[in-house]
Structure formats: structure tokens, C-alpha cells
Amino acid sequence: MAASSAYSLIATDLDGTLLRADDTLSDRSLAALALVAVGGARHLVVTGRPAPRVRPLLDDLGSTGLAVCGQGAQVYDAGADRLLWSVTLDRELAETALGKIEAEVGQVYAAVDQDGVDGLTLIEPGYLMPHPTLPAVRVGRRDDLWCEPISKVLLRHPYLSDDELAVTARSVVGSLATVTMSGPGTVELQPCGITKATGLALAADHLGLGPEVTIAFGDMPNDIPMFDWAARGVAMANAHPELKAVADEVTLSNEDDGIAVVLERLFPRA
């Protein structure tokens, strides 16, 4: 079935974009995504959350398709509960990158997302989860973070802003990792060269779709590569200024059903 809109692929971030602050989906958003399905288009979640933290939300959406997780490091098949593709962050490189960052800004607090569909989120002493609803396991010391393969490292600083920490991290990490900022209190290190666009391109190709039929929604600088790849990028009203600067359109906030507003326009009821 051909899509009734110019866009056959709807790529949405989760936190600050499709989800409300309490990690729920509004009835209006769910209804708008149903219009997308009726219109013959596909919805693809593209998130920084790792696959295990996305699975319950996909269940809420009734999705058995693909999702891009871990800032593009994972392409997850919800129906089969398996990773079609994943890239891990070398743990020695991660430790080296952390050392370089701390040499510039002093102590940071770190967490990691382990690779795999059952991977854990491990947090070292002093690290506070930016999303307290997400499960995490506290370890006794930093060395315990590296016990299993990881997809990324999450960083927090006791007083530097996210923007300040991200700028400094990029200046010293170089090719050891890709530095992203994906939300309040969330600066991350992921495998070098991996972005949301990497995973989105792979998932879209698997679906037989390309950037020319893709519209993407986001709220943070980590969504910039996804906007660059897609034909159209829509930033939320609550989005970071860097993302708004490159967006084709700014919609209402995640709390005000900004995605639904756009999708209702693109996929009107019959």
C-alpha cells in the first residue's frame, strides 16, 4: 500500500519528543500514529535508549517492527526480540576517553549501557539517572562498569552544564568516540562515527525506504545527524537551540502533542 503522504517513513525520537515528561504516550499521539499506519507509512523509533529500555514502550505502541536504539548503535527487531545490527564501544578506548575528559574538567560521574537485548544500565557511585523511571544497577567502583561489552558511556558533571561538558569532551576525545548530548543531564560517548543517522539509514534500507521519503522528529543535538539525513526535520518547541537552528519546522512541545499536530496534517482522516 502506497503512503497517502509524501512521507513513507516517520522517524521519532522518544524522550522530549514523542514521550511526555512522565514517560507516557498521549492518546492523541497514539491516534496520530494509527493514522500513519492507515495511510500506509511506517513509524520508526530512533532513540538514545538501549534496546532493553525501549522494549516496554514498543509494547505500548503495539510495535513488532524495527527500532533504532543506543544513539544508532543498535537496530532492534521487536517482533523477534533480537538485534539485527549492533556496534560496541571499545572499553579500553572508553576508559582512555574518560581519563582525557577528567584531566580537563575534574571528576565526572559515569554510567554505561551494556550491549545486547538484555543488557543492563550500570551506574557508578555518584551518578544520578536523568530518568529515574529507568532501571539501573549501581556498582561499587568504576572498574565494574567494564565487565561486559557496552554500547555507550553516559557522563554527568557536578557543576558544568551539558553544553560545557559536551564541548570539552569533543575537544579532547578526538577519534576515540563520538560525543553526543541527548537530553538534560545526558552527555554520552558512543562508538566513533556512529550517530542516529547511521542506525536510521540501516533500518530504512532494511524497509526498502530512503531519506527522500523520511520525516524526522527530535528535540536535542543528537538528532542533528538524523535531520541531516532525512528529507524533513521537525523540532519540538522544547528543543535545544542547536536543533531548532537546522530544523525545517518547529512544532508544539512534547507535552502539547507536537508530533500529532504535524502527523494529523500529513495524514488527514478519511
Side-chain angles (χ1 to χ4, degrees):
M1 177 182 178
S4 60
S5 162
Y7 302 106
S8 300
L9 185 60
I10 316 301
T12 68
D13 175 46
L14 287 178
D15 297 295
T17 304
L18 183 60
L19 296 179
R20 296 179 290 192
D22 62 357
D23 276 3
T24 62
L25 287 152
S26 72
D27 290 340
R28 185 177 180 184
S29 292
L30 287 169
L33 292 174
L35 288 175
V36 167
V38 170
R42 305 291 293 268
H43 171 225
L44 189 65
V45 165
V46 185
T47 178
R49 295 191 185 197
R53 306 290 88 81
V54 177
R55 190 162 40 202
L57 294 167
L58 296 176
D59 290 342
D60 291 344
L61 288 166
S63 175
T64 57
L66 303 183
V68 177
C69 307
Q71 302 293 12
Q74 300 173 328
V75 176
Y76 173 63
D77 183 337
D81 190 27
R82 67 186 182 98
L83 293 175
L84 296 183
W85 181 81
S86 69
V87 178
T88 57
L89 174 60
D90 183 278
R91 286 166 280 178
E92 290 188 8
L93 293 182
E95 285 191 276
T96 301
L98 273 176
K100 287 179 173 291
I101 294 167
E102 290 187 318
E104 294 293 322
V105 302
Q107 183 179 13
V108 298
Y109 299 109
V112 300
D113 285 335
Q114 293 179 334
D115 189 42
V117 295
D118 296 313
L120 301 173
T121 297
L122 304 182
I123 58 178
E124 72 173 348
Y127 185 90
L128 298 176
M129 287 291 289
H131 295 285
T133 59
L134 297 180
V137 177
R138 190 170 296 279
V139 297
R141 56 199 181 104
R142 179 170 291 178
D143 285 349
D144 296 330
L145 298 177
W146 321 119
C147 62
E148 297 288 343
I150 60 173
S151 60
K152 64 180 179 180
V153 179
L154 302 90
L155 305 176
R156 301 195 75 167
H157 194 275
Y159 61 84
L160 288 180
S161 71
D162 299 328
D163 291 282
E164 290 170 328
L165 179 57
V167 167
T168 300
R170 289 191 187 103
S171 71
V172 299
V173 165
S175 62
L176 294 173
T178 296
V179 179
T180 61
M181 181 169 53
S182 62
T186 314
V187 174
E188 301 179 359
L189 306 177
Q190 60 204 64
C192 186
I194 297 297
T195 68
K196 283 191 173 184
T198 310
L200 175 55
L202 286 168
D205 184 65
H206 188 84
L207 297 171
L209 301 170
E212 71 283 356
V213 295
T214 302
I215 181 170
F217 296 83
D219 74 308
M220 292 299 290
N222 65 321
D223 295 312
I224 292 174
M226 178 168 70
F227 278 26
D228 289 342
W229 185 85
R232 188 169 185 82
V234 182
M236 314 305 290
N238 51 287
H240 191 283
E242 288 183 19
L243 188 68
K244 287 183 176 179
V246 301
D248 298 298
E249 177 182 353
V250 178
T251 186
L252 298 182
S253 74
N254 61 319
E255 298 293 339
D256 295 321
D257 298 312
I259 287 181
V261 169
V262 176
L263 294 183
E264 289 163 359
R265 183 183 77 227
L266 295 175
F267 297 88
R269 298 180 186 276

